[in-house]
Amino acid sequence: MSDNHYDAIVVGSGISGGWAAKELTEKGLKVLLLERGRNIEHVKDYKNATKEVWDYPHRDKPTQEMKEKFPVLKRDYPLNESTYGMWADEQKNPYIEEKRFDWYRGYHVGGRSLLWGRQSYRFNRMDFEANAKEGIAVDWPIRYDDIAPWYDYVEKFAGIAGTREGLDVLPDGQFLPPVELNCVEKDIAKRIGKSFDGQRHLIHSRTANITKPMPEQGRVNCQYRNKCWLGCPFGAYFSTQSSTLPAAMKTGNLTLRPFSLVKEIIYDKDKKRAKGVEVIDTENNQTYEYTADVVFLNASTFNSTWILMNSARDVWDGGLGSSSGELGHNVMDHHFRCGASGDVDGYLDKYYYGRRPAGFYIPRFRNVGGDQRDYVRGFGYQGSASRERWDREVAEFDVGADLKQALSEPGGWTIGMTAFGEMLPYHENRIALDHSVTDAWGLPVLSMNVEIGDNEKQMRKDMIQDAVDMLEAAGVKNVHGSDWGYAPGMGIHEMGTARMGRDPKTSVLNAHNQVWDAPNVYVTDGACMTSASCVNPSLTYMALTARAVDHAVNELKKGNL
């Protein structure tokens, strides 16, 4: 056997790629895990994990030099000193915005599993059926019952804190004890439930922060530091580094190769199978080929699709998987950055322990049951209540000892919630290769042409007004609704572009995440999504990946791949 041959190749080491590597190696396959960026070792390389805001030269604010180097990242919160160096270099990795698209990328081992918000919810039955019932895009080739056992499987390993609520709109899972609601949130939850006849529910966030130790993985329970995206030395939140990579390494079957940019999949047009991948070493610019019996694409939504579009172009002008005409189309994100906030009277003798990594969640209630709106699908809310901190404005005291004394004690209580809405899979929302611009390695870049539609614009009105109504009904004072402005990509939940489906004429992947045109190529990151739901998608990527690996290994044993 060649030194460059493996049973399986996994492209990308983020949330789904880490799962693919773990599952494949634990099933006995020799696996090459390719990551285009640098290695980040668990604990050792979390350089800022113990720093406070005052430890940064500019108090964790972006400098003018940083803003110049990261013109996209500066548009929102990710650009700061504490995570500087954790996001893709925009100078080396440009893209074209036909319409504004905020693409926030993490090119390093672990990818955005080191940076994610950790909110972990299941899609519900309705989510998998909505496209077919409403005549939108194409039908999912699977249903909730197909993925439910895999949700169980990945939740138990990843460690999801939450509560069982018995809600059809938000299926229960395998939970660790929740990150507790504080006293204000508990009371607001009761008031909302009573005011809306039990039809709306404020519940604990479901988050991938473990609340009990998982010694079998070497992980310690959450310490309530709320420094998750700086890398957790305790392994308290799920990431590739804390969970799936150690499990894969333990088998002795994994080879990790960072600084490995996959240029294309090598396609055998006679066998109609992938033979392997061609890689550019980003340190020495040399090109290497690696072969395998099966390839898992987990490079993140757009990069997985980029690889497909740049592969087998001698067979298909649009690249591998393009025969349906859908490759690169149906881009989705979650539109958000709108909601409401206000002040809460009382509770001045109450406080809370530590800095929680989560708050509350209000599941979708629009277009559910008998509710019918002038748009389809719905939204949920993420939020929290807290006491004002030292940086609040104290109008009564301008300077001196009085101001210092006032700021030595916590302020009043406030509460806020932000809505996350489902974006429909519009065919016209697409990415495409553009050869007029190249990256640092001479490769064509992606051109983005994505915008929200009238359905989302109508939904946003309710996303704001419903938040206001709930807070006012719960007795919150000075409530104001807001729309902070949204551009596609800001949700960092990019999905679609290589969707699953039932027919090779209208989809890129089949029910097992196999590329119709090359069945030994599996795509299990966000590119595979047929619709978006309104809940955070990462848990679904994990479940789909574990399910696809199980299928792939069985097919390999049967000689079908």
Side-chain angles (χ1 to χ4, degrees):
M1 181 179 291
S2 167
D3 290 341
N4 284 357
H5 182 82
Y6 295 83
D7 297 322
I9 293 172
V10 178
V11 182
S13 61
I15 283 178
S16 62
W19 266 101
K22 169 188 176 296
E23 294 299 299
L24 288 163
T25 55
E26 289 184 341
K27 292 179 185 295
L29 276 65
K30 297 293 184 182
V31 177
L32 175 64
L33 177 59
L34 297 170
E35 170 54 53
R36 67 185 291 161
R38 65 189 174 100
N39 191 16
I40 293 180
E41 290 190 32
H42 187 42
V43 184
K44 181 175 79 72
D45 290 334
Y46 300 156
K47 302 298 185 183
N48 294 332
T50 60
K51 288 184 179 179
E52 298 293 346
V53 65
W54 51 82
D55 292 318
Y56 300 100
H58 304 94
R59 301 301 183 259
D60 204 22
K61 302 295 183 183
T63 65
Q64 293 305 309
E65 181 183 1
M66 291 163 63
K67 291 177 181 179
E68 184 176 346
K69 187 175 180 181
F70 291 90
V72 175
L73 206 62
K74 75 177 183 181
R75 297 172 183 172
D76 204 4
Y77 68 91
L79 186 60
N80 52 57
E81 289 181 290
S82 59
T83 59
Y84 193 59
M86 292 290 287
W87 298 98
D89 187 324
E90 294 178 21
Q91 310 304 311
K92 292 183 177 180
N93 303 279
Y95 65 97
I96 297 169
E97 296 177 275
E98 295 180 48
K99 296 185 177 75
R100 176 178 166 178
F101 192 96
D102 295 7
W103 193 16
Y104 302 151
R105 301 158 286 172
Y107 292 167
H108 49 258
V109 171
R112 288 178 299 190
S113 78
L114 288 176
L115 299 161
W116 69 310
R118 306 166 312 286
Q119 296 289 293
S120 301
Y121 305 98
R122 297 185 179 202
F123 279 31
N124 60 39
R125 294 180 185 279
M126 181 170 49
D127 291 324
F128 290 100
E129 299 167 359
N131 277 6
K133 288 184 176 180
E134 296 163 359
I136 292 173
V138 298
D139 186 18
W140 276 90
I142 62 173
R143 290 294 184 258
Y144 179 76
D145 288 343
D146 295 311
I147 195 173
W150 298 101
Y151 276 135
D152 286 345
Y153 178 73
V154 299
E155 285 166 345
K156 290 176 183 176
F157 183 84
I160 310 299
T163 53
R164 301 181 69 86
E165 301 289 341
L167 302 175
D168 291 339
V169 75
L170 194 72
D172 291 329
Q174 306 298 318
F175 298 135
L176 296 171
V179 175
E180 285 292 341
L181 299 176
N182 61 41
C183 58
V184 169
E185 293 164 350
K186 289 177 181 177
D187 283 355
I188 295 292
K190 293 175 183 176
R191 295 175 193 175
I192 288 176
K194 183 177 181 180
S195 298
F196 295 93
D197 298 322
Q199 299 303 304
R200 302 185 189 182
H201 307 268
L202 189 156
I203 67 173
H204 300 75
S205 292
R206 295 175 178 175
T207 180
N209 292 76
I210 61 174
T211 51
K212 285 186 175 181
M214 298 180 75
E216 70 280 6
Q217 294 185 36
R219 298 171 62 192
V220 178
N221 53 287
C222 181
Q223 303 296 299
Y224 283 35
R225 300 163 66 244
N226 197 24
K227 296 178 179 293
C228 306
W229 71 342
L230 304 182
C232 182
F234 304 93
Y237 73 84
F238 173 83
S239 68
T240 296
Q241 273 83 345
S242 69
S243 302
T244 49
L245 184 57
M249 286 294 192
K250 186 178 179 181
T251 67
N253 292 327
L254 184 72
T255 300
L256 172 65
R257 194 186 198 283
F259 300 109
S260 300
L261 171 56
V262 175
K263 177 184 176 184
E264 63 181 288
I265 290 173
I266 304 167
Y267 181 71
D268 187 328
K269 53 187 167 185
D270 295 323
K271 296 181 179 179
K272 297 183 178 180
R273 298 288 190 275
K275 293 194 296 185
V277 298
E278 184 175 322
V279 168
I280 297 175
D281 186 304
T282 59
E283 290 188 298
N284 63 24
N285 289 324
Q286 297 297 306
T287 300
Y288 302 89
E289 289 187 4
Y290 297 94
T291 60
D293 301 321
V294 64
V295 176
F296 269 74
L297 279 186
N298 302 95
S300 81
T301 296
F302 291 168
N303 285 316
S304 289
T305 295
W306 182 96
I307 292 169
L308 290 173
M309 290 192 294
N310 204 50
S311 302
R313 293 180 65 85
D314 59 330
V315 182
W316 298 278
D317 289 341
L320 180 60
S322 66
S323 60
S324 66
E326 294 298 330
L327 185 66
H329 292 272
N330 314 297
V331 175
M332 296 169 285
D333 185 29
H334 286 130
H335 63 105
F336 76 128
R337 288 174 58 87
C338 62
S341 60
D343 302 321
V344 181
D345 286 343
Y347 305 93
L348 296 181
D349 60 338
K350 305 292 184 183
Y351 202 67
Y352 34 79
Y353 170 78
R355 292 177 280 189
R356 298 176 303 168
F360 64 76
Y361 187 70
I362 298 177
R364 173 183 165 184
F365 51 81
R366 287 302 184 198
N367 290 319
V368 174
D371 183 77
Q372 296 293 318
R373 313 302 292 173
D374 56 357
Y375 53 85
V376 296
R377 314 294 166 93
F379 50 88
Y381 292 96
Q382 297 175 27
S384 65
S386 62
R387 294 193 70 169
E388 293 177 303
R389 306 182 308 162
W390 63 268
D391 53 357
R392 68 190 184 277
E393 181 180 355
V394 182
E396 294 81 6
F397 306 115
D398 292 328
V399 294
D402 288 340
L403 175 62
K404 184 176 181 180
Q405 178 60 36
L407 295 185
S408 68
E409 299 176 359
W413 285 87
T414 62
I415 188 169
M417 61 176 75
T418 299
F420 287 74
E422 179 166 356
M423 183 174 174
L424 294 179
Y426 302 108
H427 177 80
E428 57 270 26
N429 280 344
R430 57 106 180 116
I431 60 174
L433 288 187
D434 191 313
H435 292 265
S436 69
V437 177
T438 56
D439 65 15
W441 298 274
L443 299 171
V445 305
L446 287 175
S447 176
M448 315 291 197
N449 192 325
V450 183
E451 62 185 351
I452 61 172
D454 290 339
N455 195 74
E456 291 75 34
K457 293 173 183 176
Q458 283 297 109
M459 186 187 297
R460 291 181 75 80
K461 297 176 183 178
D462 275 0
M463 290 162 72
I464 298 169
Q465 190 58 51
D466 287 348
V468 170
D469 292 345
M470 284 188 285
L471 292 181
E472 288 183 341
V476 177
K477 308 297 184 183
N478 305 318
V479 176
H480 59 277
S482 301
D483 189 330
W484 305 287
Y486 166 78
M490 294 184 87
I492 323 184
H493 293 169
E494 61 267 22
M495 291 173 273
T497 68
R499 70 185 179 195
M500 298 171 70
R502 298 178 182 272
D503 187 340
K505 295 179 180 179
T506 58
S507 58
V508 179
L509 311 174
N510 68 12
H512 296 287
N513 296 82
Q514 296 168 280
V515 176
W516 289 106
D517 298 329
N520 67 334
V521 178
Y522 289 75
V523 183
T524 66
D525 58 17
C528 77
M529 302 295 276
T530 310
S531 65
S533 181
C534 66
V535 299
N536 302 55
S538 294
L539 185 69
T540 299
Y541 304 164
M542 297 185 213
L544 287 172
T545 301
R547 177 177 179 268
V549 168
D550 186 67
H551 179 269
V553 173
N554 287 332
E555 289 295 287
L556 283 171
K557 290 178 179 177
K558 295 174 184 176
N560 293 335
L561 298 182

